[in-house]
DNA sequence: GTGGTCTAGACCACC
DNA sequence: GTGGTCTAGACCACG
């Protein structure tokens, strides 16, 4: 199973499940058209309420990552990776903007942040 | 008054109050030793329960930003700005690390993020 | 129930609750990982406001004794007993130092205090 | 002036004043029969409200340490030092008993406490 | 005037 | 069911 949840993680359980399935889809671990585990199976595997998985699947469907066919199961949709990348790009830009603002209060410059990123690049 | 709160903001009211006072202190808008508004006054100003402001002040005291003396009021402590900057630096580094990981899933490179930061720098 | 509170005790109710739960944890009456009573149940048992128990639990969480997960409940953390003992040892040393100073003003010697302790030891 | 007060001290101001005058009396810095500063003078010296000093003096009078003669001033009483020492002895015994109980929860033995006291004795 | 505590009841998100 | 937040009003100690 490609999903791991933890009570120590402050995020709600349903969100942890949702994020990890989303990641698996985006990274291609789950092919478009392939079927997801049934809600009941995944609930049993993760020792979690059915309702929690149900909510994760519903949210994924609302965000267009999967489609659920009653009686058949849930399937990964064929989504446009370029569009997803652009959306993520915007999201990251917003978060960077916020971080810059946070740093500004403490006299931390954008250059300091660029320096950190360059270090991270070399480490990897 | 230097504090603005909103019910539209998903963060709890007490947290909004706390963050903004913290910011004001860090940025030097509130001098060390100066007194904060009484909890009752601030509650009236913000049209909020006394207990909500009390909680914000208590949290600020727990984090060492203010001290509060029964019968006297609450006062800004004389905190070490260098230490605060270092802590914030670490926090930002962690968040950047996380963002890099997020971007990686979508084939967004560190260089892309550096490019965004450089644009933000020019805009400012 | 392992908690008893009293309005005659000058300490705040939330503090009485907190201290007693802390004691129960430290003494091993509450195993790491075991769940605490829900705040609403304990509030009903002790005939006290929910918010009073909530505050006790919050303080315990801030001090690292328990973790609380929305929708699930509160759980005893797996804390390091050796570290706790060391901290308590330091605290007791400070208090003894203070008592020695107090006694000094009245010409009470350290030997007098040692004698008292030895008596207490025999009584037990 | 033999009294120092501080806003950093969590104890109420009137109590700080009271404790320090009491100490001065017990240690003989203030002779029986000698007069204390007037309430107004002490209030001015300590930059504190008259009412705060008034309360300290009232408490001292209630505990038999001083006597206040309206229009004349406040005077140190001639108290029995042996009786005071006995009372303090009882107080210290109670506090030691409490400390032993506290330590017990953490497996700290009376012998550990005696050892601490012996160290303090050698240090002094 | 100040802060410290507590109540009784409410609404929300999460499981 | 669980915890998280908030309100409106109350009483107390301190200055």
């Amino acid at each position: 199973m490609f999903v791991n949840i933890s009570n120590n993680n402050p995020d709600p359980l349903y969100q942890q499940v949702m994020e990890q399935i989303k990641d698996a889809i985006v990274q291609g671990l789950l092919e478009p058209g392939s079927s997801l585990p049934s809600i009941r199976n995944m609930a049993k595997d993760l020792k979690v309420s059915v309702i929690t998985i149900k909510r994760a699947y519903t949210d994924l469907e609302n965000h267009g990552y999967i489609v659920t066919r009653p009686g058949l199961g849930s399937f990964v949709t064929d989504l446009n990776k370029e569009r997803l990348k652009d959306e993520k790009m915007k999201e990251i830009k917003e978060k960077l903007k916020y971080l810059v603002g946070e740093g500004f209060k403490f006299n931390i410059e954008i250059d300091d942040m660029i320096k950190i990123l360059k270090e991270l690049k070399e480490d990897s």
Side-chain angles (χ1 to χ4, degrees), chain A:
Chain A
M1 177 60 60
F2 48 91
V3 178
N4 290 296
I5 59 175
S6 159
N7 272 337
N8 295 328
N9 188 322
D11 294 337
L13 297 181
Y14 81 92
Q15 212 172 87
Q16 295 184 43
V17 174
M18 189 185 77
E19 293 289 347
Q20 292 186 42
I21 295 179
K22 189 158 50 166
D23 284 354
I25 293 174
V26 169
Q27 295 177 67
L29 299 182
L30 289 173
E31 297 286 328
S34 65
S35 70
L36 288 163
S38 79
I39 291 183
R40 286 189 153 64
N41 274 344
M42 183 171 278
K44 207 193 288 175
D45 276 6
L46 299 179
K47 287 168 189 158
V48 139
S49 161
V50 177
I51 221 170
T52 300
I53 305 299
K54 172 71 181 136
R55 167 138 191 204
Y57 277 34
T58 304
D59 282 15
L60 283 169
E61 182 152 25
N62 288 338
H63 286 74
Y65 287 90
I66 68 174
V67 51
T68 296
R69 307 278 296 277
L72 282 179
S74 302
F75 303 89
V76 179
T77 53
D78 187 8
L79 32 71
N80 184 330
K81 289 203 179 174
E82 277 311 306
R83 191 179 59 79
L84 285 179
K85 182 176 172 180
D86 282 354
E87 278 178 10
K88 194 72 185 178
M89 202 80 170
K90 273 184 201 159
E91 186 191 321
I92 286 183
K93 185 169 181 177
E94 281 314 302
K95 288 188 177 167
L96 284 177
K97 217 183 256 181
Y98 174 75
L99 275 188
V100 168
E102 279 293 290
F104 179 70
K105 298 175 198 160
F106 292 80
N107 290 319
I108 295 172
E109 307 284 348
I110 292 183
D111 285 334
D112 295 326
M113 292 171 60
I114 291 178
K115 208 173 129 209
I116 293 174
L117 282 178
K118 284 184 176 161
E119 286 169 16
L120 288 176
K121 192 177 156 193
E122 285 164 13
D123 291 354
S124 65

